[in-house]
Amino acid sequence: MVMDIVWFVSGLKSKIIKKVQICLVVSVCLLTLDRFNIVIAADEEPTAEETRKLHGSSHVMVFGGNGFIGAETVVKLTSEGYVVAIVNRGNWYWDSATRVKPLVTHLMCDRNIDLLQCDPFVKYIDQVKYFDFVVDFSSYNRHQLEFAVRALIGKVGLYIYISTDSVYEVCTSKRHTGKTVETDAVRPVSSIQQNTLNQLDNYGHRKLQGEEVLRWYRESGGFPYVFLRLPDVIGPRDSTQRWWFYQLWIRTFDAIGTPLHVPSHLSKLPLSFVHVEDVAKVVLEVAQAGEKVYDQAFNVAFDETPTLVHLIKDMSTAMGLKSILFDSASLGNKLNLFPSVKRGAIDNTKIKEFLSWRPMTWKEAVGKTTDFYEEVMQLDTFPQELYELINKFTSVAVLIQDSKLTKFVQRVVDFYGPQMNDYMQSSDFDDTLPKDYLMTGIKARQEL
């Protein structure tokens, strides 16, 4: 009997000691988690990822989403069943107020201010808790990326950063003769050379800073990323209006007496472009590709690499014009809206090795883009954008002199219809715009 009591007391003591040890370990873990502001649920509640899988909803956050490329991507994502929230300042371009806004949750925030100070954003991420992926169209400096990373720690499966081929402009010269590849994005060792290149292309510098922030965060244990480096993007609803501007120039060049400008250094330079629909498709495929694309950079572009001369000729063919005149003198007082980089074409081989994505053909892209803007001119469906185009075109002194305005107006009205008279009142032309107005901020305005 005594021995039974001893064994019982001894066993009870052992159980108490084990429980105390477990409590101590749990306490230390909780203190550690608290130290790093990591919260765990009590009573074995399901994690955010488990909850997402349980309810079958896939949440996506898009920074931007209201501009040229972002709106097209949001339409694609929502058509695939994703629950999308977009973060921007509340500007709606072209028809995005009716085409995009009804499909999404709109969080109005200024990216230049810490996102954790934006109440709609904070409330939403507290509610949703986890996003399958983020697509960032609107980060233009490292601070905006840092704000996003800090706000979304532990809440993101994959961060898709929309970068640019302009990052190569601030890197060392490539040591090969082929098209630019992803591994060419290496900054010079010399800080002096870095500063020189950064001043020549500040946009490329700031976008590369964004890549560097995400790479550093990943190396510190953060969420995976993918960089999509885009060349000049073409397609419907382009906020820069560059392609549309060229169409108007092609349509009226003989009336205004101004041939298409092609600076001599661009006459034979291969260029890269991509269609906005292809960007939306590749975002979706990257998001669904899984770990094989994690922490990768991809050039996204057509297979074809036309010169500026070929671009203008192909555009004129799509418009039904058989001949076009060029002025190929040195740059001087000439105007060219493409390209936005100086190092030529980029290589899209890598992304086609990783994914089944394939871009549409150059011919198809030219046809789609040209048809859209021709229709806008004829149907008067986007009056604000059309007025802006006419105002820009007639404000560029190197294109059209006052003596040619009457012929310009007559050509446009004769071809596109009498409704164009509403946009052709010479008294409405804004001659106060700077002559470099079209080129000012073109890169930054491509996606707002």
Side-chain angles (χ1 to χ4, degrees):
M1 181 68 177
V2 173
M3 290 299 295
D4 290 342
I5 294 173
V6 170
W7 288 338
F8 171 77
V9 172
S10 176
L12 182 60
K13 180 179 178 181
S14 176
K15 289 181 180 180
I16 292 173
I17 290 173
K18 287 181 179 179
K19 287 186 176 181
V20 170
Q21 290 174 332
I22 291 172
C23 288
L24 286 172
V25 171
V26 171
S27 297
V28 170
C29 289
L30 289 173
L31 286 171
T32 302
L33 292 170
D34 182 66
R35 166 67 178 83
F36 291 98
N37 295 319
I38 301 173
V39 179
I40 60 173
D43 300 327
E44 297 183 353
E45 292 181 359
T47 65
E49 173 70 358
E50 291 169 342
T51 301
R52 180 190 66 78
K53 291 180 178 179
L54 178 66
H55 295 288
S57 58
S58 297
H59 287 272
V60 177
M61 178 170 287
V62 175
F63 288 109
N66 54 338
F68 173 37
I69 315 170
E72 187 71 31
T73 301
V74 168
V75 170
K76 181 68 174 177
L77 293 175
T78 54
S79 72
E80 295 290 325
Y82 287 98
V83 179
V84 179
I86 65 174
V87 183
N88 57 56
R89 291 172 294 181
N91 299 315
W92 301 101
Y93 305 95
W94 290 82
D95 54 353
S96 59
T98 55
R99 184 170 174 249
V100 173
K101 191 175 182 180
L103 305 177
V104 301
T105 298
H106 178 222
L107 309 175
M108 188 179 298
C109 301
D110 185 344
R111 295 294 304 276
N112 294 313
I113 300 173
D114 191 341
L115 287 169
L116 293 177
Q117 302 300 316
C118 178
D119 289 341
F121 180 88
V122 172
K123 291 178 181 177
Y124 190 78
I125 64 174
D126 284 346
Q127 172 190 346
V128 174
K129 299 186 184 304
Y130 183 86
F131 299 90
D132 281 36
F133 56 95
V134 168
V135 190
D136 191 342
F137 292 95
S138 63
S139 284
Y140 296 113
N141 59 59
R142 65 181 180 86
H143 300 295
Q144 293 172 340
L145 255 300
E146 289 167 352
F147 290 152
V149 166
R150 182 161 60 245
L152 294 171
I153 288 176
K155 297 177 179 292
V156 176
L158 176 65
Y159 201 104
I160 303 174
Y161 178 55
I162 305 302
S163 190
T164 168
D165 62 349
S166 291
V167 300
Y168 300 115
E169 301 290 302
V170 296
C171 294
T172 56
S173 298
K174 58 188 180 185
R175 298 182 179 181
H176 57 88
T177 58
K179 293 183 284 187
T180 300
V181 295
E182 289 81 357
T183 52
D184 290 327
V186 180
R187 290 191 188 268
V189 175
S190 166
S191 59
I192 295 176
Q193 190 177 359
Q194 281 191 30
N195 291 334
T196 299
L197 293 174
N198 294 346
Q199 290 174 10
L200 291 173
D201 198 318
N202 186 253
Y203 174 73
H205 164 56
R206 290 182 285 111
K207 291 296 282 188
L208 187 54
Q209 279 186 327
E211 292 189 12
E212 291 163 348
V213 167
L214 290 169
R215 190 178 291 115
W216 174 86
Y217 175 67
R218 176 60 164 163
E219 291 170 354
S220 302
F223 42 67
Y225 61 79
V226 169
F227 305 147
L228 297 179
R229 294 176 181 155
L230 310 183
D232 288 314
V233 182
I234 65 172
R237 303 176 178 85
D238 181 359
S239 299
T240 71
Q241 298 187 337
R242 289 178 291 173
W243 186 280
W244 195 9
F245 191 99
Y246 269 122
Q247 284 189 219
L248 186 57
W249 193 351
I250 290 170
R251 184 66 68 193
T252 62
F253 78 93
D254 53 342
I256 63 177
T258 307
L260 278 292
H261 296 172
V262 178
S264 55
H265 71 284
L266 291 177
S267 60
K268 296 182 179 180
L269 181 67
L271 307 175
S272 280
F273 297 89
V274 68
H275 194 276
V276 66
E277 292 178 14
D278 284 334
V279 177
K281 291 176 183 177
V282 80
V283 167
L284 179 63
E285 189 164 342
V286 164
Q288 297 175 342
E291 294 183 4
K292 69 178 181 179
V293 299
Y294 284 6
D295 311 325
Q296 297 292 330
F298 296 108
N299 291 335
V300 183
F302 295 125
D303 294 331
E304 303 91 338
T305 54
T307 64
L308 183 56
V309 171
H310 289 140
L311 181 152
I312 294 170
K313 285 184 175 180
D314 291 344
M315 191 185 300
S316 62
T317 298
M319 295 170 64
L321 298 176
K322 295 182 179 180
S323 62
I324 192 80
L325 292 180
F326 291 96
D327 182 348
S328 301
S330 59
L331 185 58
N333 199 31
K334 305 305 177 185
L335 174 67
N336 64 283
L337 305 181
F338 294 118
S340 57
V341 295
K342 298 178 180 179
R343 298 198 180 184
I346 57 176
D347 193 317
N348 69 357
T349 300
K350 180 180 175 181
I351 196 166
K352 293 190 293 183
E353 291 175 345
F354 274 71
L355 304 173
S356 62
W357 175 88
R358 295 294 183 271
M360 67 178 71
T361 65
W362 169 248
K363 182 177 180 180
E364 180 183 1
V366 171
K368 279 190 172 186
T369 305
T370 303
D371 288 348
F372 175 83
Y373 292 116
E374 288 293 282
E375 184 176 290
V376 170
M377 297 288 285
Q378 294 169 353
L379 299 183
D380 196 21
T381 48
F382 294 98
Q384 179 61 38
E385 288 77 13
L386 181 52
Y387 177 81
E388 290 175 1
L389 175 73
I390 298 295
N391 198 26
K392 290 174 185 177
F393 194 90
T394 55
S395 300
V396 181
V398 299
L399 286 186
I400 182 168
Q401 299 175 0
D402 290 344
S403 60
K404 299 290 186 180
L405 278 175
T406 300
K407 291 185 177 180
F408 169 77
V409 171
Q410 192 63 50
R411 170 61 59 82
V412 172
V413 171
D414 286 348
F415 191 85
Y416 292 113
Q419 79 283 355
M420 292 302 298
N421 276 309
D422 296 338
Y423 305 94
M424 292 296 172
Q425 301 303 316
S426 59
S427 60
D428 291 336
F429 294 152
D430 185 355
D431 58 4
T432 65
L433 293 175
K435 300 312 176 187
D436 63 348
Y437 173 71
L438 277 171
M439 296 305 295
T440 302
I442 269 182
K443 291 179 181 179
R445 290 167 53 228
Q446 183 159 282
E447 175 59 47
L448 297 169

